[in-house]
Amino acid sequence: MARALVMRADLHLQSGGEPSKALEDAQRVLELKQVATTETLAMAYRILADTEENKVRVIAVLQQWQQDLPEFRTKLQNEIQRILESMEQDGDDGSVGRKSFMAA
């Protein structure tokens, strides 16, 4: 079932369908993580990260992915670092509409 959900989520995104339906399916896959394959979980996390607009939440998704699938640790750490560097260069705190995350 998890594989079918992640494939449907990917199809929603590929076909320009409703992102909310893709997110819903990806979230359901994560609820089934005990029975999902590594590939299926990775696809679900990628869908969540790619559709999230808030960079802080993207980082949270990537960190959860890293915790659930440690074999992706290096790749995810590099991706998180790139996002943080981008945020720092842009003066972006990652939030939508206000600057608070990196305002120190």
Side-chain angles (χ1 to χ4, degrees), residues 6-8 16 33-34 38 77 88 93 95:
V6 83
M7 297 299 281
R8 185 170 72 177
K33 63 173 91 167
Q34 283 73 19
T38 298
Q77 284 176 334
E88 188 175 304
D93 66 358
S95 66

Side-chain angles (χ1 to χ4, degrees), residues 19-69:
S20 62
K21 295 223 184 256
L23 289 171
E24 199 174 291
D25 285 345
Q27 288 285 2
R28 288 188 61 208
V29 169
L30 296 183
E31 292 169 10
L32 300 169
K33 63 173 91 167
Q34 283 73 19
V35 295
T37 66
T38 298
E39 178 186 1
T40 302
L41 283 175
M43 287 177 68
Y45 277 117
R46 175 51 56 204
I47 289 166
L48 291 175
D50 287 351
T51 55
E52 179 59 64
E53 292 180 15
N54 181 299
K55 291 179 184 176
V56 173
R57 287 195 293 253
V58 170
I59 291 170
V61 168
L62 296 174
Q63 288 172 330
Q64 185 62 50
W65 181 357
Q66 184 177 1
Q67 184 177 354
D68 288 346
L69 300 171

Side-chain angles (χ1 to χ4, degrees), residues 84-92:
L84 290 171
E85 288 170 1
S86 167
M87 289 168 62
E88 188 175 304
Q89 282 180 340
D90 297 343
D92 183 1

